[in-house]
Amino acid sequence: MAENQGVSAFPLPPSKYVNMYTDENVKRGRAPLPPPPIQDTYTMFGAQFNADDAIIRPLESQGFRRLHPQNYDHKRELKKLNHSILVNFLDLIDILIKAPDSTKRTEKLEDLNLLFIHMHHLINEFRPHQARETLRVMMERQKKERAQISKNFETHLNKVKELIQTSLQSLPEDFSFDSKSLVKTELLQASQHHNGYDMETEPCDQLDRMMCDIVDGMG
């Protein structure tokens, strides 16, 4: 049984490496490097594939007979395949009722298998289109979110501007600073040093003193 188990060409699941890719390890360059790209062949689900194969391979390359032409309408062909599957399924039920041991039963099963393979193949051909549409929808959503964030920021900015403008208009017209209220820093520091106060050791007291001098100067 161990001989039949396939060996994956890919590393173990990412959960095994979560603790290795911390911010510190990535910053210091200690995180493991990603595995190199596969150049030749690889095995997946028990089947061997080439690295340069197309994402959606033609039916002929997989050993199946093509039932639809080279140029076709996907919608029309899918409807035809759906109708054919229903008809063949009814024929299979009829065979199972009348002649369950007949060889036609095997033929109908093979026909149904081929029809389902074709339907699955046509659906897979829509995968690139689905990927492009998914990417387009994701980018449109990101665009709308960023536009909404920009709009909200502009709205709050206008509110702040209005608030500042209203505050400025509410100030009295004769409001002005007295030159005596502007305390020079050099004189204040010299006075504090002369009185034995240290600005670095008593920051709160010196701030209170500055505010009191300003208020006294305005009075």
Side-chain angles (χ1 to χ4, degrees), residues 10-98:
F10 295 95
L12 295 176
S15 59
K16 301 291 184 180
Y17 295 96
V18 170
N19 296 329
M20 299 181 183
Y21 287 94
T22 60
D23 295 338
E24 183 178 357
N25 290 343
V26 173
K27 183 178 180 180
R28 297 179 179 272
R30 295 184 298 186
L33 297 176
I38 299 175
Q39 300 295 336
D40 300 326
T41 60
Y42 61 94
T43 303
M44 183 173 60
F45 300 117
Q48 190 172 5
F49 299 91
N50 293 322
D52 55 351
D53 287 342
I55 298 178
I56 302 176
R57 297 185 299 167
L59 290 171
E60 292 81 2
S61 64
Q62 304 178 48
F64 298 109
R65 178 170 56 91
R66 180 184 288 270
L67 300 179
H68 52 271
Q70 294 289 341
N71 299 324
Y72 56 91
D73 181 15
H74 284 75
K75 185 177 180 180
R76 180 182 178 184
E77 293 299 328
L78 285 172
K79 287 184 177 180
K80 290 168 60 177
L81 287 172
N82 187 42
H83 181 73
S84 299
I85 289 173
L86 292 176
V87 172
N88 280 270
F89 181 73
L90 293 176
D91 292 341
L92 177 62
I93 293 177
D94 187 64
I95 292 173
L96 292 175
I97 294 174
K98 295 181 179 179

Side-chain angles (χ1 to χ4, degrees), residues 114-128:
L114 184 61
L115 290 171
F116 276 112
I117 289 174
H118 275 72
M119 178 173 284
H120 190 266
H121 177 76
L122 292 181
I123 292 174
N124 281 340
E125 288 185 346
F126 281 110
R127 296 302 183 186

